[in-house]
Amino acid sequence: MFATPAYAQAAGAAATGGTQAMLLQFLPLVALVVLFYFLMIRPQQKRMKLHQAMLAALKRGDQVVLSSGLMGKVVRVEDKEVGVEIATGVTVKVVKAMISDVRAKGEPAPANDAKA
């Protein structure tokens, strides 16, 4: 019988266990990618779909809140732009994507609003 050198035996053992060790090193990375997908990417996609549906359902007379905080009433709806009346006789043209919230026509006024 021939005696194999110690380094040859170690190399043979490392070759069989090396694939397993590499998979175990990548497992946490794969887990982080999956976790990132479910905690960050998927909810953002849902919010985008809801926002696009809200903009598609936009119609004349809706009360809207712009991303800058301005509130107004929609007077004209076009493909990519919307005419919003922010004061009596003051109409501004707004890009649809800048509308952050659409409030219904019949939404009740806050209790602290005094109407004269």
Side-chain angles (χ1 to χ4, degrees), residues 11-47:
T16 58
T19 307
Q20 250 182 354
M22 191 169 18
L23 286 176
L24 286 176
Q25 286 178 348
F26 284 121
L27 189 62
L29 183 63
V30 171
L32 282 175
V33 169
V34 169
L35 186 68
F36 186 74
Y37 174 76
F38 281 107
L39 292 179
M40 299 287 285
I41 297 171
R42 211 165 150 240
Q44 178 63 26
Q45 288 175 341
K46 278 185 173 182
R47 278 193 299 269

Side-chain angles (χ1 to χ4, degrees), residues 16-94:
T16 58
T19 307
Q20 250 182 354
M22 191 169 18
L23 286 176
L24 286 176
Q25 286 178 348
F26 284 121
L27 189 62
L29 183 63
V30 171
L32 282 175
V33 169
V34 169
L35 186 68
F36 186 74
Y37 174 76
F38 281 107
L39 292 179
M40 299 287 285
I41 297 171
R42 211 165 150 240
Q44 178 63 26
Q45 288 175 341
K46 278 185 173 182
R47 278 193 299 269
M48 277 180 35
K49 284 181 183 178
L50 285 174
H51 189 255
Q52 288 173 351
M54 176 187 69
L55 293 179
L58 195 63
K59 60 188 179 300
R60 193 171 166 220
D62 285 346
Q63 294 288 332
V64 295
V65 178
L66 304 179
S67 60
S68 63
L70 284 174
M71 295 176 64
K73 184 173 27 168
V74 175
V75 293
R76 182 178 65 252
V77 179
E78 297 173 8
D79 288 339
K80 296 190 185 254
E81 297 175 344
V82 175
V84 178
E85 185 178 44
I86 56 175
T88 306
V90 180
T91 303
V92 294
K93 196 181 274 192
V94 178

